[in-house]
Amino acid sequence: MPSVTEVLDYATEPELMRWYRREGFAKCDRIGNEAKVIGTIVDETVQRIVQGKTGDGIPVKLPGPEVMNCLQAFSKFLTNHQGFIPSIKSLQAELRHGDLVGHPDFLIEEPHRWGIVDLKTSKRIYSKHWTQVAQYAFMQERLLRLAIQTVEARDSLSQAKLKECPQLFVAILRLDKESGQYEYVEVTDLAFIQSEVKMFDAYRMAYDHGTRVREFFRQQHEEEVLGAS
């Protein structure tokens, strides 16, 4: 069962490939792994902060100042967005669409709008980040439609309230590892969100094609080995 991030990571951008060739695969893999460790620690710590578990939320050993800079940035964000934590409906909720699974960082529900906010610790907001969060919103929208259908069969009054169509938004919250500042960008343009969902479909087609090709070569290799034995 592939995840949204697995599908998006399948295709490597030309800029990233040039970086790998310029710096060497071993060095780039080391930098990438360090970034993943920092991102994981920040994600886990932010979840503890949101849940009010601040006593044991910060790791004893940190891999440098990057984590503390990200946490400082998150603290600044909360100071400027004091309604953020009360608006969180769920953390890392599991969304499914067919054989696809996704875990957005924050599902937000407010009186007149709902949305997905994803947390990043990258150097900047990349185009794939919008593809990812738009796909999460699409998967959650399917769940909302199922909820409406369920309520419709049970309670027409509640169903009418659900059809008030609260505004959808997607957002990226980027915590800068170097400056300790944050960048928060929201998008409400449905045409943009829908175009990013279509872009994810293209990534999925490439991922599925690659999976079929790998399986073909695996079977071919097995046949060659068995034929030679």
Side-chain angles (χ1 to χ4, degrees), residues 48-108:
R48 292 175 184 272
I49 292 173
V50 169
Q51 294 170 337
K53 302 176 182 179
T54 54
D56 59 348
I58 300 177
V60 176
K61 296 182 180 180
L62 301 176
E66 292 86 355
V67 170
M68 291 305 300
N69 286 340
C70 289
L71 297 181
Q72 180 183 6
F74 186 64
S75 177
K76 293 177 180 178
F77 170 77
L78 293 181
T79 299
N80 295 329
H81 299 79
Q82 296 185 10
F84 181 74
I85 290 181
S87 70
I88 297 174
K89 179 177 176 59
S90 62
L91 295 169
Q92 291 282 323
E94 182 169 295
L95 306 178
R96 291 177 180 269
H97 173 44
D99 66 340
L100 187 70
V101 64
H103 296 88
D105 288 312
F106 306 108
L107 171 60
I108 304 297

Side-chain angles (χ1 to χ4, degrees), residues 115-127:
I116 301 290
V117 179
D118 223 35
L119 191 70
K120 301 297 178 186
T121 58
S122 52
K123 289 186 176 181
R124 61 179 182 272
I125 296 176
Y126 294 94
S127 58

Side-chain angles (χ1 to χ4, degrees), residues 120-149:
K120 301 297 178 186
T121 58
S122 52
K123 289 186 176 181
R124 61 179 182 272
I125 296 176
Y126 294 94
S127 58
K128 271 188 180 180
H129 294 162
W130 293 115
T131 309
Q132 179 184 8
V133 76
Q135 179 63 21
Y136 287 153
F138 168 75
M139 295 166 74
Q140 175 64 17
E141 185 183 19
R142 287 177 57 85
L143 295 181
L144 289 181
R145 286 202 300 267
L146 289 174
I148 289 174
Q149 292 170 4

